[in-house]
Amino acid sequence: MADLATSGDDERVKAIPAWRRALIRPELGGMCGTVIVFVFFLLTAFDSGMFAPQGIMNWTVVSAQFMIIAVGACLLMIAGEFDLSVGSMIGFAGMMVAVFGVVLGWPMWIAILITFALCISIGALNGWIVIRTGLPSFIVTLAFLFILRGFTIYIPQTIESKTIIGGIRDAAEGDWLAPIFGGKIGGGIFQWLADAGLIDTFTRGNRAGQAVIDGVPMLVVWALILIIFGHVLLTRTKFGNWIFAAGGDAEAARNSGVPVSQVKILMFMFTAFCATVFAVCQVMEFGSAGADRGLLKEFEAIIAVVIGGALLTGGYGSVIGAALGALIFGVVQQGLFFAGVESSLFRVFLGVILLGAVVLNTYIRRMITGER
């Protein structure tokens, strides 16, 4: 008697076609978008220097900025929540580093650590309010968007009568922690490549003979670390399964013993951590903190995650996909400049690609759930 447990012999079990299995991979949209974007700019901006070593470094740094906040937003969205305060958190965190380290004169490492503790606590508060009140995270974090932005403007105006505080590089001179966010690595490798004639060097001034690329900024290193951490956490750990469960069906997850409330609060904290990493790297690079930093970054992070295949309803997504979405952002933003296209069209691109990604993700969700 044939074994009916074998799917090949049981006509009730339908094999999923390979093309359909590929379609339901969350990274698919990000992969396709990345290929299309690179092909487009290879054809239109290849001779502009976009793919020269310095051009590659430019769009890599911009992409890394998006990647850092996209990783936090991705895990939080998979857990079924949103954080619209990310952009304001970036501005607030940068301003706190400046206030603590420059205005109050504290050692920069203390200023950085206290800023991280403060911002992560605010992230925990966001999560706690969402869990305790049952309010949509959209509303709670929208409120904190305005609260944090208001404090970011009020505090420096009250203390210094201005909304930009400089002197961060001088205050960070000789500090042991600041280079972890504002330093560069691999300078010797790039100089070796320059000496070998593989990359350009400066031809004038005090830096004549030095490589035009003097290292990989720590911003890029942080982006890679967070992507690897987020991917491993999501795909290789029990906690990653809890994140999917919390966003897919919170009530069923609770009945199965998943600590849904703790998972969601931790994801809010991690999102705040990523925003603070971005902020500290930014102020170390610019040497100043401004009250307008981080504007619209929350929406850019969400768009990158959606492009990467995450569903707005939660329970489905990929950190790698979110990273690819962020890469698309960085390449397009810099590519428009290299191609000589009006930079304002970048916002048009964001709107178009967001709409396309949502339509694609909705189709995928219906395939997964069997809805029509």
Side-chain angles (χ1 to χ4, degrees), residues 238-282:
K238 180 170 70 173
F239 190 84
N241 292 332
W242 288 355
I243 294 173
F244 281 113
D249 189 333
E251 193 59 36
R254 285 191 182 92
N255 294 336
S256 301
V258 175
V260 172
S261 298
Q262 292 88 332
V263 169
K264 289 178 180 282
I265 291 174
L266 285 172
M267 290 302 94
F268 276 105
M269 295 170 67
F270 182 68
T271 302
F273 173 83
C274 292
T276 308
V277 169
F278 179 101
V280 177
C281 290
Q282 188 180 62

Side-chain angles (χ1 to χ4, degrees), residues 2 4 26-27 39 46 50 71 80 110 121 191 202 205 209 214 221 229 249 256 260 268 271 295 307 316 358 364:
L4 293 179
E27 303 92 349
V39 169
F46 183 79
M50 180 178 176
V71 171
I110 293 180
S121 298
Q191 188 58 49
F202 291 101
D214 56 357
V221 177
F229 171 80
D249 189 333
S256 301
V260 172
F268 276 105
T271 302
L295 285 173
I307 294 172
Y316 184 80
V358 170
I364 291 173

Side-chain angles (χ1 to χ4, degrees), residues 8-30:
D9 298 328
D10 190 350
E11 63 181 9
R12 295 170 299 176
V13 180
K14 295 182 180 180
I16 301 176
W19 66 268
R20 188 166 180 172
R21 288 200 303 270
L23 274 179
I24 63 175
R25 289 190 62 85
E27 303 92 349
L28 178 65

Side-chain angles (χ1 to χ4, degrees), residues 41-353:
F41 285 112
L42 280 170
L43 295 175
T44 61
F46 183 79
D47 296 332
S48 64
M50 180 178 176
F51 295 97
Q54 193 169 10
I56 293 174
M57 184 60 69
N58 286 341
W59 51 258
T60 297
V61 170
V62 174
S63 298
Q65 295 175 358
F66 293 120
M67 289 175 184
I68 288 174
I69 53 177
V71 171
C74 177
L75 294 181
L76 183 61
M77 284 179 61
I78 293 173
E81 305 294 345
F82 289 91
D83 189 348
L84 296 183
S85 67
V86 168
S88 295
M89 181 73 76
I90 291 170
F92 177 77
M95 189 59 68
M96 290 301 97
V97 171
V99 169
F100 294 143
V102 177
V103 178
L104 299 182
W106 295 356
M108 189 55 65
W109 66 273
I110 293 180
I112 293 173
L113 292 179
I114 290 180
T115 298
F116 267 100
L118 177 60
C119 293
I120 292 173
S121 298
I122 294 172
L125 179 61
N126 267 330
W128 182 82
I129 293 175
V130 170
I131 297 301
R132 293 288 294 183
T133 64
L135 291 171
S137 54
F138 176 90
I139 298 299
V140 174
T141 58
L142 180 62
F144 272 90
L145 179 154
F146 290 106
I147 292 170
L148 292 175
R149 186 64 66 185
F151 276 127
T152 304
I153 298 171
Y154 172 78
I155 292 173
Q157 279 187 335
T158 302
I159 298 176
E160 294 285 284
S161 299
K162 54 187 178 182
T163 58
I164 298 177
I165 297 177
I168 293 178
R169 285 179 183 162
D170 293 336
E173 189 70 31
D175 189 85
W176 66 271
L177 185 58
I180 296 178
F181 298 93
K184 294 184 178 182
I185 63 172
I189 296 175
F190 287 103
Q191 188 58 49
W192 178 81
L193 292 173
D195 294 338
L198 298 176
I199 62 176
D200 295 334
T201 60
F202 291 101
T203 57
R204 300 179 183 178
N206 297 331
R207 300 187 64 184
Q210 295 182 18
V212 294
I213 302 175
D214 56 357
V216 177
M218 288 303 299
L219 181 80
V220 177
V221 177
W222 271 106
L224 294 175
I225 290 172
L226 289 172
I227 290 168
I228 294 171
F229 171 80
H231 177 69
V232 172
L233 178 70
L234 195 62
T235 61
R236 297 289 186 270
T237 68
K238 180 170 70 173
F239 190 84
N241 292 332
W242 288 355
I243 294 173
F244 281 113
D249 189 333
E251 193 59 36
R254 285 191 182 92
N255 294 336
S256 301
V258 175
V260 172
S261 298
Q262 292 88 332
V263 169
K264 289 178 180 282
I265 291 174
L266 285 172
M267 290 302 94
F268 276 105
M269 295 170 67
F270 182 68
T271 302
F273 173 83
C274 292
T276 308
V277 169
F278 179 101
V280 177
C281 290
Q282 188 180 62
V283 297
M284 291 300 165
E285 177 187 0
F286 293 153
S288 64
D292 62 342
R293 299 278 172 80
L295 285 173
L296 299 180
K297 289 300 180 185
E298 58 276 350
F299 297 107
E300 293 172 353
I302 291 173
I303 295 171
V305 176
V306 172
I307 294 172
L311 295 178
L312 297 175
T313 52
Y316 184 80
S318 163
V319 171
I320 300 300
L324 290 173
L327 177 62
I328 292 172
F329 271 15
V331 172
V332 170
Q333 189 179 72
Q334 294 297 295
L336 293 177
F337 169 78
F338 281 104
V341 178
E342 172 59 42
S343 60
S344 60
L345 290 178
F346 177 64
R347 300 297 173 189
V348 176
F349 164 79
L350 292 188
V352 171
I353 200 169

